[in-house]
């Protein structure tokens, strides 16, 4: 770091304070937001941090003038946070930032219009990011990471401020900020593995009269739909998951490929389980090749391929939470296999095509190197019929599957497999 | 000496002071503080001029004695001579004072004390009862002794009355104590009372004392006992006298001044209530005692002791009242041995509040006194009379302080070590002592009384370990309690002031070290700090585990035993392979009977233990865990996390593989695979699957009825759904039973059955598809958890 003179430091700090005061006086939310974005590593903030480390008595500067001292409760801890951040002490940086945020929220509460929402967004974002980094630091020091949890409860408070701001008139200018905070909360809860905490926020977003979902910024709506869609995947509620994730996909800005990929990561398994296969091109465009073999297995009725694909990416699928969904595709693979047998038989002898002998199925599975005895295959067949993946019945005495002559293998067509 | 210390310490600051200060220091304090008080109090309340004077004299003497005593202590001869001079009575009082305290507070342990030897030393030191045990003790004793002597000289007339009073007071005490707390308090009281009774007021105290002394040399223990008895008697007397005074004893002991009247029962109840609140807290107890003293003194001064409505009197919120009660309750009798035995280090650590040396010594004293106790009774009787009559006022005052000191010590002390094993021996020795005492005793009636009384105590005490006089164990625990409680208090205060966390508590110091040697133990949920005398050490627990494993008794018994083992492990903070074994054993047993609640408890503990790197059947239980999540919680997220946690090694383990296969079968609804896995389940996986079998069968039946046409043979269903698990053996009869079972089951679930032309029972699939239902479980209970239905549970387990 180049040598920084005292005077230069003083100038930088005063400059920041001036900009801060101006932003508030002119109600310039965007400028104010930029002044808070610690983790953006913007040059102006970095140089300010250096200046703070040289000029240790910034608090005196703040107190010196009436103009600055009114923001002292926000700016002073923010300076400390910035200093700590610059020095790599993220735990303290988080602590100071939370203090500054608390002071800011108090001020924000008193402003009638929502001009400072942009700044609030930045604060909500920063507090989450700083907490995550602080937790990483804590964990590497062998201490229990707890900052993210703290950030979660802080954001809950912010959510309350935003939701409570519009009770009187029914609609307040700040309510549109609630969804952004909700999304930050989702991120925290998913990271912490406490997704059940999402429920209360979702309920208030979806049922409170003050919120009109269409009113929220589109970016927040997409994020919200993505996370709620993921929750539906966990619940194996595929139609709802499809609806939410599709919403997110169709409204997501096309330039945000990473976001689209994240959405597809969950949307594809959902679509697969309601019988809709993606084009190979899509998987390749968004680097979702782990689904390639699974799609292929569904197309070919290749149980072995499905199993190996699942095993290959087991860790990844388990972590993202789609493993159980993908595993359930097995029944569709059986269905495909039986359909292939049926088609072959039909080509050979159309009159007897609707009668599939159990032995044939066992033999087919054997070719796939899957050893199953008659009983088990019989069970699979029974389940296929039971779940309406196959129309017909099974005659136990003759060990024959008797298929319906009309549409023996109904397509799912966007409906989930019956449970 | 003791009395003095205690007295001084209590009023001023409490035990803390004493512990830190060396004996000498504490003495000094005492003299300065309480003496004056005593004298004044006694004089005012009792109105006897002689008493105050004597007290003062005694006090003055104390310091001197103290210094002297140290010198004299070592040589037994000196003691003997001194004893002759001092009189048993004097020694007794001191002893008594010591007793109560030790008893109350579970023998604090005499760690520092030179253990076994004390009894003999005591004998020689009879004149100065305290001196016998250890040097420090000796000092105490000596001091006490002098006080007694002085008393003897001073007191003259009141002998009769005093003795009577004391008796009555004791009895009253006993009653009071017994009523509320039971036997703890009673024991000492009894003996004391006995002593009193036998002694005829008129008997010349001097002679009696001498006699006793003479005898004492023969039986050191007896002598000590006698001393104890005397002490007790003295206590009574002192208590009566000192009522107005701030002595601890005064609270419990305090009895009508000169009259033989006892404290009103309501007062005793009040006192007990007050103390009852602070069983675990030494400091509080002390404070409580001080407070009680004040209250009672006040009442006496106002003359309202008997008129006040103690029952409705609100309890003050002071910290300790227990010490007094506890002293009474816990008669030192049994403890003697245990105290001598190696004390756990914990005690030392805990001591912070009370001085370690003193406490240890005290504990030893208790033992001695206790030992001598029975024997001395007879002897002491005569001496008693003397002391009581003569010493009444003075001795009382002196004794009180003694008591207090002891109490304090006891409170501070922690006796972890009382050995359960030694109990039996102790008891025997006690009986021997008793017999000796009996021989000495002049009155056969007294013997009978004593016997009956002791029996009473035994009966009552059996339940409460703390209270048991006979069992030395008890004393230890009490101390532990107090220590722990105080430590907790300390930590709390820390938290308030400086955000110090629980981590700052020295848990090692607070950990119980068990002394119980019994292999079998019933589980009882702890409602207070554990008592080391009822906690089994690790080696005993190992035997207990083996015993349970080999037991032929039913699950209820085993569960109870295992829970008590788990409890003992927990309170001793034993976390090793034995702990794992115990939890594994319990988990398996619980699984076998389908006790999911207990199983989950064990399972969650095991997860923690395994994660600490303790070896065990990790894979087996990982499989159980998986099965539990799959079959019983049905939480997708939990399942995902437990699956993602499995290591590659785990995935290759047979049991885990099986569990994963079961999971796959369940998620796909593959009932054939499920029941195949059910039959081939390793370990106790079957037991967990058992709980899911009903559900799976029903699903299968529904599925089959929808997909099969026209019929399905029952034999096939029976085989597929695991009814005939004997097929492997090829035993026709068993297959039949499986078939019958299947039939029953199908009927119960509303299936429609037909017989085909070959006579084989068939499931009419089409008909059944609309009639199948899941019957209300027969064992359904209102609260929804059938495992809570006692009858069903018993039927399953027995």
């Amino acid at each position: 770091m180049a040598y920084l003179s005292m005077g230069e430091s003083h100038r930088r700090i005063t400059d920041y304070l001036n900009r801060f005061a101006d932003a508030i006086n002119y109600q310039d939310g965007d400028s104010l937001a930029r002044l808070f974005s610690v983790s953006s590593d913007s040059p102006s903030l970095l140089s300010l941090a250096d200046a703070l480390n040289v000029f240790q008595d910034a608090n005196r500067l703040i107190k010196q003038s009436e103009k600055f001292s009114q923001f002292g409760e926000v700016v002073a801890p923010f300076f400390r946070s910035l200093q700590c951040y610059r020095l790599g002490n993220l735990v303290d940086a988080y602590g100071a930032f939370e203090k500054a945020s608390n002071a800011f929220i108090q001020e924000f509460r008193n402003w009638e219009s929502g001009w400072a929402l942009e700044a609030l967004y930045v604060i909500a974002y920063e507090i989450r990011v700083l907490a995550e980094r602080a937790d990483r630091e804590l964990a590497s020091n062998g201490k229990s990471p707890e900052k993210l949890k703290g950030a979660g409860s802080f954001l809950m408070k912010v959510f309350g401020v935003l939701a409570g701001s519009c009770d009187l008139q029914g609609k307040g200018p700040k309510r549109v900020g609630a969804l952004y905070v909700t999304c930050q909360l989702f991120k925290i809860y998913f990271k912490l593995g406490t997704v059940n905490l999402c429920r209360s926020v979702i309920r208030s977003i979806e049922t409170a009269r003050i919120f009109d979902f269409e009113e929220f910024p589109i970016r927040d709506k997409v994020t919200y739909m993505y996370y709620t869609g993921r929750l539906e995947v966990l619940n194996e509620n595929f139609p709802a998951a499809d609806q939410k994730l599709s919403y997110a996909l169709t409204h997501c800005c096309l330039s945000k490929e990473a976001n689209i990929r994240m959405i597809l990561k969950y949307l594809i398994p959902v679509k697969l389980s309601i019988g809709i296969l993606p084009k190979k091109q899509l998987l390749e465009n968004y680097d979702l090749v782990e689904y390639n073999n699974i799609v292929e297995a569904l197309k070919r009725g290749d149980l072995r391929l499905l199993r190996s694909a699942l095993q290959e990416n087991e860790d990844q699928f388990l972590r993202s939470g789609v493993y159980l969904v993908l595993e359930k595709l097995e029944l569709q693979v059986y269905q495909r296999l039986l359909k292939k047998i049926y088609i072959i038989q039909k080509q050979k002898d159309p009159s007897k095509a609707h009668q599939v002998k159990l032995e044939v199925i066992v033999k087919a599975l054997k070719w796939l190197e899957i050893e199953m005895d008659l009983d088990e295959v019989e069970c699979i067949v029974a389940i296929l019929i039971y779940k309406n993946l196959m129309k017909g019945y099974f005659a136990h005495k003759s060990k024959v599957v008797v298929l319906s002559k009309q549409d023996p293998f109904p397509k799912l067509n966007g409906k989930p497999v019956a449970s | 000496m003791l009395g003095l210390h205690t007295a001084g310490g209590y009023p001023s600051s409490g035990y803390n002071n004493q512990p830190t200060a060396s004996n000498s220091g504490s003495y000094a304090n005492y003299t300065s503080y309480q003496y004056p008080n005593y004298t004044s109090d006694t004089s005012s309340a009792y109105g006897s001029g002689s008493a105050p004077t004597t007290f003062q004299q005694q006090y003055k003497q104390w310091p001197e004695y103290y210094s002297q005593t140290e010198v004299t202590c070592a040589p037994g001869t000196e003691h003997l001579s001194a004893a002759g001079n001092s009189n048993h009575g004097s020694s007794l009082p001191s002893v008594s004072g010591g007793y109560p305290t030790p008893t109350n507070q579970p023998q604090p342990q005499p760690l520092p004390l030179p253990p076994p030897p004390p009894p003999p030393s005591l004998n020689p030191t009879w004149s100065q009862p305290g001196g016998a045990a250890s040097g420090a003790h000796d000092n105490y004793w000596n001091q006490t002794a002098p006080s007694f002597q002085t008393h003897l000289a001073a007191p003259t007339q009141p002998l009769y009355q005093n003795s009577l009073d004391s008796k009555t007071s004791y009895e009253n005490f006993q009653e009071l104590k017994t009523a509320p707390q039971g036997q703890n308090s009673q024991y000492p009281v009894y003996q004391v009372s006995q002593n009193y009774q036998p002694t005829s007021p008129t008997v010349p105290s001097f002679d009696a004392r001498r006699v006793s002394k003479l005898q004492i040399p023969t039986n050191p223990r007896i002598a000590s006992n006698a001393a104890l008895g005397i002490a007790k008697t003295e206590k009574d007397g002192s208590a009566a006298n000192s009522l107005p005074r701030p002595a601890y004893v005064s609270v419990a002991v305090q009895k009508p001044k000169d009259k033989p009247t006892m404290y009103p029962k309501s007062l005793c109840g009040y006192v007990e209530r007050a103390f009852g609140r602070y069983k675990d807290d030494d400091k509080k107890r002390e404070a409580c005692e001080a407070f009680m003293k004040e209250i009672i003194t006040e009442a006496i001064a106002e003359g309202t002791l008997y008129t006040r409505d103690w029952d409705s009197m609100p309890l003050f919120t002071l910290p300790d009242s227990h010490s007094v009660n506890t002293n009474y309750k816990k008669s030192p009798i049994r403890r003697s041995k245990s105290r001598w035995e190696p004390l756990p280090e914990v005690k030392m650590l805990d001591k912070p509040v009370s001085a370690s040396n003193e406490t240890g010594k005290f504990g030893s004293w208790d033992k001695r006194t206790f030992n001598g106790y029975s024997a001395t009774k007879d002897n002491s009787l005569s001496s008693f009379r003397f002391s009581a009559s003569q010493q009444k006022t003075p001795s009382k005052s002196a004794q009180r302080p003694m008591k207090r000191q002891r109490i304090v010590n006891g409170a501070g002390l922690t006796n972890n070590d009382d050995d359960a094993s030694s109990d039996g021996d102790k008891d025997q020795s006690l009986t021997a002592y008793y017999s000796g005492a009996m021989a000495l005793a002049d009155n056969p009636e007294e013997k009978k009384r004593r016997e009956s009384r002791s029996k009473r105590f035994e009966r009552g005490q059996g339940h409460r370990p703390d209270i048991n006089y006979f069992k030395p164990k008890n004393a230890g625990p009490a101390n532990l309690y107090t220590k722990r409680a105080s430590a907790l208090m300390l930590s709390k205060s820390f938290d308030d002031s400086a955000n110090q966390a629980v981590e700052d508590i020295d848990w090692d110091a607070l950990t119980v070290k068990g002394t119980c040697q019994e292999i079998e133990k019933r589980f009882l949920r702890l409602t207070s700090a554990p008592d080391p005398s009822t906690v089994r050490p690790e080696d005993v627990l190992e035997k207990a585990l083996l015993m349970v494993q080999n037991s032929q008794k039913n699950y209820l018994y085993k569960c109870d035993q295992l829970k008590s083992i788990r409890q003992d492990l927990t309170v001793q903070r034993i976390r090793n392979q034995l702990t794992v074994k115990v939890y594994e054993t319990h988990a398996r047993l619980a699984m076998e009977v389908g006790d999911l609640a207990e199983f989950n408890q064990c399972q969650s503990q095991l997860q923690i233990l395994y994660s600490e790197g303790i070896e065990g059947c990790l894979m087996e239980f990982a499989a159980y865990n998986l099965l539990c999540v799959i079959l019983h919680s049905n939480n997708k997220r939990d399942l995902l996390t437990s699956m993602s946690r499995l290591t590659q090694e785990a995935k290759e383990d047979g049991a885990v593989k099986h569990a994963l296969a079961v999971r796959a079968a369940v998620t796909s609804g593959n009932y054939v695979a499920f029941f195949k896995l059910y039959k081939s389940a390793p370990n106790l996986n079957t037991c967990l699957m058992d709980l899911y079998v009903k559900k799976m069968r029903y699903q299968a039946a529904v599925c089959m009825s929808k997909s099969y046409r026209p019929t399905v043979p029952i034999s096939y269903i029976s085989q597929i759904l695991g009814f005939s698990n004997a097929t492997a053996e090829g035993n026709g009869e068993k297959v039949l039973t499986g078939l019958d079972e299947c039939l029953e089951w199908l009927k119960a679930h509303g299936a429609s059955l037909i017989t085909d032309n070959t006579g084989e029972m068939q499931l009419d699939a089409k008909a059944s598809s609309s009639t199948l239902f899941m019957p209300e479980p027969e064992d359904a209970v209102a609260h929804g958890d059938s495992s809570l239905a006692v009858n069903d549970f018993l039927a399953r387990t027995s």
Side-chain angles (χ1 to χ4, degrees), chain B residues 385-492:
Chain B
R385 298 168 186 173
F386 256 104
S387 63
S389 62
Q390 294 177 353
Q391 299 173 351
K392 288 180 183 177
T393 53
S395 66
K396 291 176 182 177
S397 64
Q399 292 172 356
R400 289 181 185 175
M402 299 287 291
K403 291 176 183 176
R404 292 176 186 176
Q405 290 178 353
R406 292 174 185 175
I407 294 169
V408 175
N409 296 333
L413 297 176
T414 53
N415 296 344
N416 297 334
D417 297 7
D418 308 353
D419 292 354
S421 61
S422 63
D423 289 354
D425 299 341
K426 293 174 183 177
D427 291 351
Q428 291 180 356
S429 65
L430 286 175
T431 55
Y433 293 132
Y434 276 111
S435 64
M438 299 301 283
L440 294 172
D442 301 335
N443 301 341
E445 292 182 1
E446 286 189 2
K447 295 178 187 175
K448 288 178 185 174
R449 285 183 208 162
R450 292 173 196 165
E451 283 179 355
S452 64
R453 283 176 187 167
S454 63
K455 281 178 188 171
R456 263 194 256 163
F457 288 121
E458 287 178 358
R459 275 181 230 139
Q461 294 172 353
H463 305 287
R464 289 190 184 182
D466 299 355
I467 300 172
N468 294 344
Y469 301 102
F470 301 100
K471 299 182 180 179
K473 299 174 182 178
N474 299 334
N479 293 331
L480 279 179
Y481 293 141
T482 58
K483 287 180 184 177
R484 234 176 262 149
S486 60
L488 285 174
M489 289 293 292
L490 286 174
S491 69
K492 273 185 188 173

Side-chain angles (χ1 to χ4, degrees), chain B residues 196-249:
Chain B
Y196 283 123
Q197 294 175 354
T199 58
S200 62
T202 56
V203 176
S205 63
F206 275 77
D207 296 345
R209 293 173 187 172
R210 291 176 185 176
V211 174
S212 63
K213 293 172 184 177
L214 294 173
Q215 296 172 352
I216 293 164
T218 56
N219 283 341
R221 291 183 180 179
I222 294 174
S224 65
N225 292 335
L228 292 173
I230 294 169
K232 293 174 181 178
T233 55
E234 287 181 0
K235 289 178 182 178
D236 297 338
S238 67
N241 293 333
S242 62
L243 286 178
R245 298 163 194 165
Y248 297 87
V249 178

Side-chain angles (χ1 to χ4, degrees), chain A residues 80-317:
Chain A
R80 215 178 325 124
S81 172
L82 200 59
Q83 269 180 283
C84 295
Y85 179 80
R86 184 65 171 148
L87 297 174
N89 182 353
L90 291 163
V91 177
D92 289 346
Y94 170 79
F97 194 86
E98 193 187 294
K99 209 173 250 174
S101 308
N102 256 318
F104 181 80
I105 295 297
Q106 292 306 317
E107 292 296 319
F108 181 85
R109 200 195 291 267
N110 297 327
W111 295 329
E112 282 195 6
S113 78
W115 68 267
L117 272 177
E118 281 305 319
L120 187 77
Y121 293 161
V122 169
I123 283 179
Y125 172 81
E126 291 292 337
I127 202 139
R128 175 178 68 83
V129 172
L130 284 177
E132 279 173 14
R133 296 202 195 168
D135 272 0
R136 236 172 286 155
E137 184 181 312
L138 282 173
S140 67
N141 291 342
K143 292 176 192 159
S144 75
E146 58 196 8
K147 297 298 180 198
L148 196 54
K149 220 174 179 178
S153 41
F154 173 78
L155 288 181
M156 260 324 253
K157 205 162 69 184
V158 177
F159 182 84
V161 169
L162 293 169
S165 67
C166 28
D167 276 349
L168 291 179
Q169 290 83 21
K171 298 207 168 185
K174 297 178 195 166
R175 66 180 185 282
V176 292
L179 201 60
Y180 183 86
V181 177
T182 304
C183 293
Q184 296 300 323
L185 276 171
F186 281 165
K187 290 178 187 179
I188 289 175
Y189 292 152
F190 271 82
K191 188 141 204 159
L192 289 175
T194 53
V195 290
N196 53 321
L197 292 177
C198 298
R199 212 175 303 153
S200 64
V201 203
I202 292 175
R203 198 183 306 127
S204 72
I205 288 286
E206 290 185 350
T207 62
R209 257 174 295 153
I210 54 162
F211 295 124
D212 180 353
F213 191 73
E214 291 310 317
E215 238 179 36
F216 291 118
I218 188 74
R219 116 196 122 161
D220 298 338
K221 286 193 281 190
V222 170
T223 312
Y224 178 84
M225 282 304 193
Y226 166 74
Y227 279 107
T228 48
R230 279 185 63 179
L231 287 175
E232 297 296 354
V233 173
L234 272 180
N235 296 335
E236 299 191 0
N237 183 357
F238 298 125
D242 178 35
Q243 182 248 320
K244 286 177 190 291
L245 290 170
S246 296
Y247 181 100
L249 184 69
T250 49
H251 290 81
C252 186
C253 177
L254 281 178
S255 61
K256 306 280 186 191
E257 290 197 7
N259 288 352
I260 291 179
R261 179 173 183 270
M262 280 167 70
I263 297 169
L264 286 177
K265 213 164 147 184
Y266 292 93
L267 186 56
I268 288 173
V270 170
K271 289 281 189 189
L272 288 178
S273 49
I274 56 175
I276 297 168
L277 309 188
K279 284 181 182 153
K280 205 169 183 180
Q281 194 59 41
L282 180 75
L283 297 180
E284 277 165 11
N285 281 351
Y286 290 97
D287 190 25
L288 293 164
V289 286
E290 65 261 33
Y291 292 124
N292 264 341
N293 280 341
I294 290 171
V295 175
E296 195 60 26
L298 276 170
K299 282 183 185 163
R300 302 209 305 237
D302 188 341
L303 190 60
R304 179 179 48 174
L305 187 61
L306 178 74
R307 287 186 176 176
S308 72
L310 271 176
Q311 199 170 3
E312 202 175 307
N313 301 294
E314 189 180 77
D315 286 344
Q316 190 185 343
F317 291 148

Side-chain angles (χ1 to χ4, degrees), chain A residues 190 193-195 234 236 314-315 317-319 321 323-324 327-328 330-331 372-373 375-376 378-383 385-388 392-397 399, chain B residues 636-637 639-641 643-646 648 651 663-664 667-673 676 699 702-704 706-713 716 719-720 756-757 762:
Chain A
F190 271 82
T194 53
V195 290
L234 272 180
E236 299 191 0
E314 189 180 77
D315 286 344
F317 291 148
L318 280 174
R319 242 180 294 123
Y323 183 88
L324 298 177
E327 196 187 44
K328 287 201 164 178
E330 228 177 60
L331 279 183
M372 284 173 95
D373 65 20
D375 284 344
E376 265 180 277
E378 185 174 329
C379 174
I380 297 291
V381 169
I383 293 170
I385 297 171
Y386 174 61
K387 302 228 173 192
N388 212 22
Y393 65 88
F394 185 78
H396 180 76
K397 225 184 229 171
K399 299 275 181 193
Chain B
K636 300 285 190 308
R637 238 197 111 70
L639 179 54
L640 283 167
T641 38
M643 282 178 72
S644 57
R645 271 194 208 134
L646 290 175
Q648 197 54 44
K651 282 174 193 164
R663 183 202 61 76
T667 46
S668 65
N670 191 329
Y671 47 85
V672 171
K676 270 189 184 165
Q699 278 181 17
V702 172
C703 175
M704 284 200 269
K706 204 182 163 205
S707 43
Y708 282 76
R709 292 291 182 274
T711 58
V712 194
Y716 175 73
Q719 178 220 322
I720 289 293
D756 69 359
N757 38 23
Q762 304 274 349

